[in-house]
């Protein structure tokens, strides 16, 4: 007993001292000539898009600014863990980098926490800022009206459909539904005439996470009102909006998809890995008629990705998601995206903004959008034929930007999103009726937002 | 060796140091002060370790206890404040928390108490009688499952239980109805996975314990006419009782903290039907950013673990 205790103590001592010594090695050391840039590195070792791009910018920057150095600090983690790690780093001046890559989904949360620095003094003097479209600017603005990040692209969402399946079901190859009913009718036609194929996929439930909320529910919900007001959040009153008719109609759409068996098997739809199956198997193998999904799908079909599918642009058609009854503006899209922000506790904010300017020269921005299958948020790039023709589908998804919506990414949003996923899951499994699910959402919304709720 | 001879020396030694009966034969000379000085000298090399242990092990735990009484969030909050027992009250009013407690108990009882423990004992008993090659082969297979990293084991069992998985393929072949096990019976599926993965540990503990039982005792029982079951019940089990308690305690604590296996297989779903406390805690702390609440849940999990431990420790103490 005793020797083993002693051994354990000795072992622990050695382990701890070596850890402590190793930790001391990487102190903050805020060198005024070095700008530390942290970013999200892909967990897939074969994907080096961001690493390559940043290495190139680093070279340009160091050449243009003699004596200055860029230190890249990759954080290799899946999305949710990346935020966690980043937020921990931002808490202390010892660990805060000079520049961080933030998802606009969480940027407002970090602004509220005081983690980020307002960029307005820099933006005023930077003439390229005028090229950025307003919706993208709004995505990085805090509730105080100041701007906290420079967006480096966005994404949009729409309907992908298999031309082969459509031909078998007697549907047109240039399909563009005008209303929700037309979408469901097409799915019904596929169900009837093309057995063995899943007619439509709408992401749903907690396992799908934010994909269920954004690609699924919000693509419906934002098409229910008059197309100008936000159906989730009342900006003027700063309150979240309780489930109304539009919310229930959107749930009813989800319910129809799964109740009429137009969607995937419920157990598949609630499998956390289902998104991978949609992109990697169902669409390429022609086993899915319609997919309500994002502009980034072709990323998965590039060379070297494991499931290459260069023919996708011939085999798949693209249609905008229509509003509920075809009311103006006729189509719906949701957008997210990432932005470069400077931490409040950054040691070299000025140098960090210079680095942003290098990244966001017109040429570099364009290079990035294309490499990343991203959608341009700079008007000059969006109108450039070289960008538009770079990949099939880019024009379609870039055109959606004018009718797109950004999520109300306030601190309560992640919790509201979970409440939406739970309501969806209830109607998907059939455990809850639309009314019950909507009531459940209202309760969850009150709790998630500290009762900052209004009925409309 | 009798059971009494197996009494642990630990507790006695722990009580002993201050008292004089320590001097070992050969070092008999010297009085009380020399002994005290010697034990002080002996403690000296360990002291840095103790300081570091306090700093790096006890420190974070103490910090956790403090955080559990605040409304600290990872993001979305300008300043945190002290909220007293609010997090704990909230937990007991939270249906999802109560659901997680219930599932944690189901998971622990099914996979640890019943599954790993009984199966481990059964395997160890069978292997006592098996020929050497069989023993090596069977032991090798079971231990492989244990050696696999949790995440890899999770993926293997995900592949086994999923709708197009191995289990359903076998059932189809036998013309039995198949289903998506991860969807219809998630808690059973993850419990099975934990049994699959963790049985090796029990098997090793019990193999060691059974090897300690002197042959004469079992042989004597056999001569007295006791059959296999009676021998097991009246001779073997009482003699390895201490190992059973130790094994149950280690197994339970390990099972209470299983995270990766369930995360990979079901993410706690569908609809929270396999969301045990560690998953619930993760969701609150890192997905909803509620560090304060998540930490409070972690403390409650610690409490459940210590309740189990107290029960097992009592089992240990009542021995002989």
């Amino acid at each position: 007993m005793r020797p083993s205790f002693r051994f354990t103590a000795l072992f622990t001592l050695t382990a701890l001292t070596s850890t402590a010594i190793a930790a001391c090695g990487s102190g903050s050391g805020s060198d005024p000539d070095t700008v530390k840039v942290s970013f999200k590195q892909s967990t897939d070792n074969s994907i080096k898009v961001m690493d390559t791009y940043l290495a190139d910018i680093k070279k340009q920057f160091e050449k243009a600014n003699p004596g200055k150095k860029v230190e890249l600090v990759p954080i290799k983690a899946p999305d949710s863990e990346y935020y966690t790690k980043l937020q921990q780093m931002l808490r202390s001046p010892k660990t805060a980098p000079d520049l961080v890559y933030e998802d606009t989904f969480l940027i407002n949360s970090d602004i509220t926490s005081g983690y980020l620095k307002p960029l307005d003094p820099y933006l005023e003097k930077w003439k390229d800022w005028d090229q950025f479209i307003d919706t993208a600017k709004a995505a990085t603005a805090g509730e105080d009206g100041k701007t906290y990040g420079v967006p480096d692209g966005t994404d949009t969402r729409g309907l992908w459909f298999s031309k082969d399946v459509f031909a078998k079901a007697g549907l047109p190859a240039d399909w563009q539904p005008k209303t929700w009913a037309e979408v469901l009718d097409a799915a019904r036609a596929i169900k009837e005439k093309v057995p063995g194929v899943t007619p439509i996929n709408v992401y749903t439930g907690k396992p799908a996470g934010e994909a269920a909320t954004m690609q699924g529910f919000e693509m419906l919900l934002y098409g229910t009102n008059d197309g100008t007001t936000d159906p989730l959040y009342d900006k003027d009153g700063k309150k979240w909006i309780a489930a109304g008719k539009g919310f229930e109609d959107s749930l009813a759409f989800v319910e129809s998809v799964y109740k009429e068996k137009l969607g995937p098997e419920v157990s598949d739809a609630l499998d956390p890995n289902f998104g991978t199956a949609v992109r990697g198997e169902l669409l390429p193998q022609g086993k899915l008629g319609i997919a309500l999904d994002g502009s980034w799908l072709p990323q998965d079909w590039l060379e070297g990705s494991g499931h290459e599918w260069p023919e996708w642009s011939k085999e798949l058609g693209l249609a905008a998601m229509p509003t509920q009854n075809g009311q103006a503006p006729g189509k719906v899209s949701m957008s997210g995206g990432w932005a470069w922000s400077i931490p409040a506790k950054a040691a070299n904010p000025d140098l960090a903004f210079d680095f942003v300017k290098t990244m966001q020269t017109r040429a570099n921005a364009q290079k990035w959008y294309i490499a990343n299958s991203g959608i341009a948020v700079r008007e000059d790039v969006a109108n450039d034929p070289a960008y538009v023709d770079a990949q099939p589908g880019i024009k379609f998804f870039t055109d959606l930007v004018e009718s797109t919506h950004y999520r109300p990414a306030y601190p309560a949003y992640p919790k509201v999103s979970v409440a939406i996923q739970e309501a969806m899951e209830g109607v998907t499994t059939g455990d809850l009726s639309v009314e019950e699910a909507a009531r459940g959402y209202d309760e969850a919304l009150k709790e998630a937002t500290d009762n900052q709720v209004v009925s409309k | 060796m009798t059971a009494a001879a197996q009494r642990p020396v630990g507790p006695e030694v722990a009580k002993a140091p201050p008292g004089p009966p320590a001097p070992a034969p050969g070092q008999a000379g010297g009085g009380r002060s020399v002994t005290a000085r010697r034990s002080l000298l002996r403690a000296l090399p360990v002291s840095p370790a103790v300081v570091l242990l306090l700093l790096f092990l006890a420190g974070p735990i103490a910090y956790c206890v403090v955080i559990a009484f605040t409304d600290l969030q990872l993001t979305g909050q300008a300043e945190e404040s002290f909220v007293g027992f609010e997090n704990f009250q909230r937990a007991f009013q939270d249906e999802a928390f109560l659901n997680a407690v219930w599932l944690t108990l189901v998971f622990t009882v099914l996979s640890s108490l019943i599954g790993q423990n009984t199966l481990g004992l059964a395997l160890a008993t069978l292997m006592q009688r098996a020929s050497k090659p069989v023993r090596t082969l069977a032991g090798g297979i079971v231990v492989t499952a244990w050696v696999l990293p949790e995440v890899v084991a999770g993926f293997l069992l995900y592949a086994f239980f999923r709708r197009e998985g191995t289990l359903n393929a076998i059932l189809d072949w036998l013309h039995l109805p198949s289903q998506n096990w991860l969807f219809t019976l998630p808690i059973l599926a993850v419990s099975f996975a934990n049994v699959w993965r963790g049985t090796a540990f029990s098997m090793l503990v019990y193999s060691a314990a059974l090897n300690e039982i002197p042959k004469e005792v079992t042989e004597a029982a056999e001569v007295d006419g006791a059959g296999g079951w009676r021998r097991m019940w009246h001779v073997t089990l009482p003699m390895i009782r201490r190992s059973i308690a130790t094994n149950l305690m280690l197994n339970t604590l390990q099972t209470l903290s299983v995270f990766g296996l369930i995360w990979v297989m079901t993410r706690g779903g569908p609809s929270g039907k396999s969301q045990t406390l560690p998953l619930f805690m993760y969701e609150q702390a890192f997905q909803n950013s509620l560090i304060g609440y998540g930490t409070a849940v972690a403390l409650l999990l610690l409490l459940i673990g210590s309740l189990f431990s107290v029960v097992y420790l009592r089992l240990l103490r009542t021995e002989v």
Side-chain angles (χ1 to χ4, degrees), chain A residues 1-2 5-6 9-10 12-13 16-17 20 80-81 83-85 87-88 91 106 108-115 206-207 265-268 270-274 281 411 414-415 418 422 425-426 429 431 447, chain B residues 9-10 13 17 42 45-46 48-49 52-53 56-57 72-78 80 90 94 155 158 162-164 180 182-183 263-267 269-273 275 282-283 286-291:
Chain A
M1 195 94 192
R2 288 199 95 184
F5 168 71
R6 232 182 256 168
L10 188 69
T12 319
L13 175 71
L16 287 177
T17 11
S80 59
E81 280 142 53
Y83 310 138
T84 308
K85 170 83 179 158
Q87 283 154 353
Q88 283 166 341
R91 291 181 90 91
L106 281 167
N108 260 290
S109 228
D110 285 350
I111 296 170
T112 311
S113 304
Y115 292 157
K206 265 168 88 175
E265 288 271 339
V266 173
S267 62
D268 286 343
L270 295 180
D271 182 327
N273 302 315
F274 188 60
E281 294 162 26
K415 287 172 232 162
V418 172
E422 279 166 353
E425 194 164 311
T429 55
D431 288 345
E447 183 170 333
Chain B
V9 283
V13 169
R42 276 188 184 161
V46 189
L52 284 169
L53 281 174
F56 290 104
L57 288 176
L72 180 69
Q73 292 189 21
L74 199 54
T75 179
Q77 176 194 46
E80 74 260 19
R90 175 178 176 170
D94 189 341
F155 267 113
Y158 168 76
R162 68 189 284 244
R163 206 154 62 92
E164 285 93 27
N180 188 337
L182 294 170
F183 183 72
W263 181 255
V264 171
M265 287 177 71
T266 65
R267 302 245 160 126
S271 302
K273 284 189 191 116
Q275 192 179 47
Y282 179 83
E283 184 178 286
F286 297 117
Q287 291 184 316
N288 297 349
S289 298
L290 301 172
I291 298 284

Side-chain angles (χ1 to χ4, degrees), chain A residues 61 172 180 203 236-237 368 396 399 436:
Chain A
F61 182 84
W180 287 3
Y203 291 110
D236 301 326
W368 171 240
F396 172 83
D399 287 348
E436 285 166 338

Side-chain angles (χ1 to χ4, degrees), chain A residues 77-390:
Chain A
D79 280 0
S80 59
E81 280 142 53
Y82 173 77
Y83 310 138
T84 308
K85 170 83 179 158
L86 198 63
Q87 283 154 353
Q88 283 166 341
M89 286 167 77
L90 295 176
R91 291 181 90 91
S92 156
K94 280 203 181 113
T95 49
D98 297 306
L99 195 61
V100 290
Y101 198 43
E102 284 262 340
D103 190 334
T104 51
F105 163 57
L106 281 167
I107 201 166
N108 260 290
S109 228
D110 285 350
I111 296 170
T112 311
S113 304
Y115 292 157
L116 305 177
K117 200 181 184 67
L119 301 181
D120 303 65
Y122 298 111
L123 296 172
E124 276 160 25
K125 287 180 241 153
W126 184 39
K127 62 177 184 350
D128 284 34
W129 187 235
D130 297 337
Q131 291 292 342
F132 285 75
I133 55 172
D134 289 338
T135 42
K137 285 178 178 174
T140 56
E143 278 172 306
D144 57 5
K146 292 179 185 153
T147 303
Y148 289 82
V150 175
D152 75 337
T154 186
D155 45 35
T156 50
R157 286 145 180 79
L159 294 161
W160 303 73
F161 59 93
S162 162
K163 290 184 186 166
D164 181 42
V165 173
F166 266 50
K168 286 183 192 152
L171 293 162
D174 58 347
W175 184 61
Q176 175 54 64
K178 301 272 183 321
T179 62
W180 287 3
E182 287 182 34
V183 176
L184 288 176
D185 284 343
R188 288 183 190 115
I190 296 170
K191 189 189 173 201
E192 194 184 323
K193 291 182 193 145
V194 199
V197 163
T198 304
I200 183 170
N201 177 51
V202 178
Y203 291 110
T204 184
K206 265 168 88 175
E210 188 57 18
T213 314
M214 202 174 176
Q215 273 91 273
F217 196 77
E218 289 171 348
M219 285 294 286
L220 296 161
L221 183 65
Y222 280 77
T224 55
N225 60 1
D226 59 6
T228 56
T229 53
D230 191 316
L232 270 183
Y233 186 75
D234 175 15
K235 258 200 174 121
D236 301 326
K238 297 199 171 174
K239 285 199 189 300
W240 294 86
I241 301 170
K245 183 164 184 309
F247 196 96
E248 290 190 3
D249 288 349
S250 307
L251 281 177
F253 184 97
V254 176
E255 189 186 44
S256 314
V257 167
Y258 289 95
K259 209 176 198 170
E260 293 181 38
K261 301 212 174 295
L262 301 173
E265 288 271 339
V266 173
S267 62
D268 286 343
L270 295 180
D271 182 327
N273 302 315
F274 188 60
T276 320
V278 169
R279 298 188 297 268
E281 294 162 26
L282 298 179
L283 276 175
Q285 292 168 8
K287 287 186 187 160
L288 179 60
I290 307 165
L292 181 52
D293 218 317
S295 54
W296 57 84
L297 290 199
Q299 256 183 349
D300 276 50
W301 305 323
L302 295 174
E303 246 176 82
S305 63
H307 17 77
E308 286 168 29
W309 187 28
E311 310 81 29
W312 74 265
S313 58
K314 293 185 204 84
E315 294 176 22
L316 291 184
L318 288 164
M321 180 68 194
T323 49
Q324 183 176 11
N325 302 308
Q327 70 269 41
K331 52 188 177 175
V332 184
S333 175
M334 297 297 300
S335 285
W338 292 65
W340 289 100
S341 298
I342 299 178
K345 294 178 172 147
N348 302 313
D350 298 351
L351 212 53
F353 195 78
D354 285 343
F355 190 75
V356 173
K357 285 201 267 187
T358 312
M359 273 194 284
Q360 289 294 324
T361 60
R362 186 184 153 160
N364 282 339
Q366 180 162 339
K367 220 189 280 177
W368 171 240
Y369 299 144
I370 293 171
N372 176 42
S373 298
I375 302 300
V377 285
R378 284 178 66 118
E379 271 165 33
D380 48 1
V381 178
N383 298 327
D384 184 342
Y387 158 79
V388 175
D389 300 334

Side-chain angles (χ1 to χ4, degrees), chain B residues 118-135:
Chain B
T118 338
L119 195 61
L121 181 59
L123 279 171
T125 318
L126 288 175
M127 275 163 68
Q128 291 276 304
R129 295 160 170 263
S131 63
K132 188 140 192 265
V134 173
R135 211 182 316 167

